[in-house]
Amino acid sequence: DEEIKKAGPVAYDSTDWCQVLFQCFGSAWPRVVPFCIMNVLIMITVTLLKQNKIINLGITKQTHTIAGMIVAFLLVSRIKTALDRYSTCRNDLNTMYLETGELIQNAVVQSHSRSACSENLDEKSCQWRNEVAYRALILLRTSVAVVEYFSKGLPGWKYPELSGYEAAYATPSDSWERDYPSNPHDDYSNTTRIPFRMAYLLRKTISAHDVRLIVPINVRHEISLLNSIDKFMAGFYGMRKFVTTPVPFPLVQMCRTIILIYVFTIPLVFLKIEESQIVWDCISIFLITYGFMGLELVAIELDDPFGDDENDFE
């Protein structure tokens, strides 16, 4: 049987050195090794050119040392920015899941309070609780659909979890162009509007408790449920900000350009070392390339944690 890979960030045992060093699933090894091999080939080529007295492309290490300081600063800044964004996005996602569960549980418990436990068991009350739970879950699903759009390409209103009135309310229509006349109406823009519409329906359902429940819930409990929606939407705003505000392009472009120039000119510095051995030079080149390019590739993966990669969110 084909092995089923675990979705979400890769789990590992940090105390197991062999697993951490040699595990390929979720590792940067498969993507960074081609860069390492390419740089080793460059090292071999320029060494042969020098030995055969065709051309000596060696450069002094002073200039390269200064460039190395700049590369190290940019790379550390790049990794820190990517990791901070990754952690913030994870916290926003956790807030959305947490508030969804809390809202559903509180709605059920508070409508079954001691004073209402014998009254709010009729079909109308059960429908209210089911509607709160369903619309809360649909709000979560359509919110995640916004950040998944660029990896899956599926508009939010086409997810199979949507049905009935909620599906019709989430599907773009001519009225949307009247309601949002100055905004774009492509699939992604319409997908970003669906969570707001689902939040409106959920608030509407909660506010109707005094009509649909035989014994309405306490005003304090109603405010608590509505506050859960507010916290959920705050998490959604953070997620949407993550998608719509990438790492500034000039920073990424400058960092990547300098890293590539620096890494692939390291073999030229090794040419200036007297009595160097080609084997050890190639090993050193391989490890240095792995370090610099590996960190940049990790930053690239952290930039977009929504997708099908091994380290993306589940």
Side-chain angles (χ1 to χ4, degrees):
D1 294 338
E2 185 178 355
E3 181 183 0
I4 299 177
K5 296 181 178 179
K6 178 185 178 295
V10 175
Y12 61 93
D13 180 7
S14 60
T15 62
D16 188 340
W17 284 71
C18 291
Q19 179 191 12
V20 172
L21 290 175
F22 301 109
Q23 176 175 305
C24 287
F25 179 65
S27 169
W29 275 109
R31 288 168 294 142
V32 74
V33 165
F35 291 97
C36 299
I37 295 175
M38 184 185 304
N39 218 13
V40 168
L41 293 177
I42 293 175
M43 182 72 235
I44 295 174
T45 301
V46 295
T47 301
L48 292 175
L49 290 175
K50 177 184 176 182
Q51 290 177 350
N52 291 305
K53 299 181 179 180
I54 298 176
I55 186 173
N56 186 353
L57 296 174
I59 59 177
T60 59
K61 65 179 182 179
Q62 285 79 7
T63 303
H64 217 257
T65 300
I66 297 174
M69 297 173 60
I70 299 175
V71 170
F73 172 77
L74 288 175
L75 194 55
V76 169
S77 301
R78 175 90 169 88
I79 285 289
K80 184 179 184 304
T81 300
L83 189 58
D84 288 345
R85 283 167 50 85
Y86 184 90
S87 300
T88 301
C89 187
R90 183 65 186 179
N91 291 336
D92 290 334
L93 186 63
N94 181 67
T95 297
M96 292 164 60
Y97 276 90
L98 175 64
E99 294 302 328
T100 300
E102 290 292 314
L103 189 152
I104 294 174
Q105 291 187 21
N106 288 335
V108 173
V109 171
Q110 291 163 11
S111 63
H112 278 95
S113 63
R114 182 175 299 177
S115 60
C117 61
S118 60
E119 288 86 356
N120 288 338
L121 297 177
D122 61 305
E123 182 178 356
K124 196 173 181 180
S125 299
C126 291
Q127 289 178 351
W128 180 84
R129 285 188 284 270
N130 289 335
E131 188 173 294
V132 169
Y134 175 69
R135 288 184 171 177
L137 293 173
I138 286 300
L139 173 60
L140 176 62
R141 187 67 193 90
T142 54
S143 298
V144 174
V146 174
V147 295
E148 288 182 338
Y149 179 82
F150 292 107
S151 61
K152 294 187 176 180
L154 184 64
W157 62 89
K158 292 186 178 180
Y159 279 83
E161 292 86 354
L162 281 165
S163 63
Y165 178 75
E166 289 77 12
Y169 195 72
T171 303
S173 61
D174 294 338
S175 62
W176 287 37
E177 296 187 7
R178 295 193 300 270
D179 295 338
Y180 314 104
S182 60
N183 296 329
H185 292 277
D186 56 281
D187 285 351
Y188 175 70
S189 298
N190 287 331
T191 296
T192 60
R193 296 187 182 104
I194 296 176
F196 297 100
R197 298 175 72 86
M198 293 299 106
Y200 166 76
L201 290 182
L202 182 55
R203 290 188 174 101
K204 188 176 178 181
T205 299
I206 293 174
S207 299
H209 70 93
D210 57 341
V211 177
R212 300 177 62 177
L213 296 178
I214 295 178
V215 179
I217 61 177
N218 187 281
V219 174
R220 179 169 55 86
H221 292 159
E222 178 186 359
I223 295 175
S224 174
L225 295 178
L226 294 174
N227 282 340
S228 288
I229 302 178
D230 294 339
K231 293 177 183 177
F232 178 99
M233 294 306 294
F236 171 70
Y237 293 143
M239 298 277 285
R240 191 179 64 166
K241 179 179 67 175
F242 180 91
V243 175
T244 58
T245 311
V247 179
F249 174 73
L251 175 62
V252 176
Q253 183 186 49
M254 177 172 289
C255 183
R256 197 163 301 173
T257 301
I258 294 180
I259 287 176
L260 289 174
I261 294 175
Y262 176 80
V263 168
F264 288 108
T265 55
I266 291 177
L268 307 183
V269 177
F270 274 71
L271 289 181
K272 287 291 186 178
I273 301 177
E274 298 296 334
E275 299 180 357
S276 61
Q277 298 182 5
I278 184 64
V279 175
W280 293 111
D281 289 349
C282 289
I283 294 175
S284 300
I285 292 293
F286 187 96
L287 294 176
I288 294 173
T289 305
Y290 173 79
F292 281 98
M293 296 305 302
L295 289 175
E296 175 62 14
L297 291 172
V298 168
I300 293 173
E301 186 163 348
L302 293 178
D303 282 342
D304 183 17
F306 303 103
D308 300 324
D309 294 335
E310 294 89 346
N311 290 290
D312 287 340
F313 296 148
E314 182 177 358

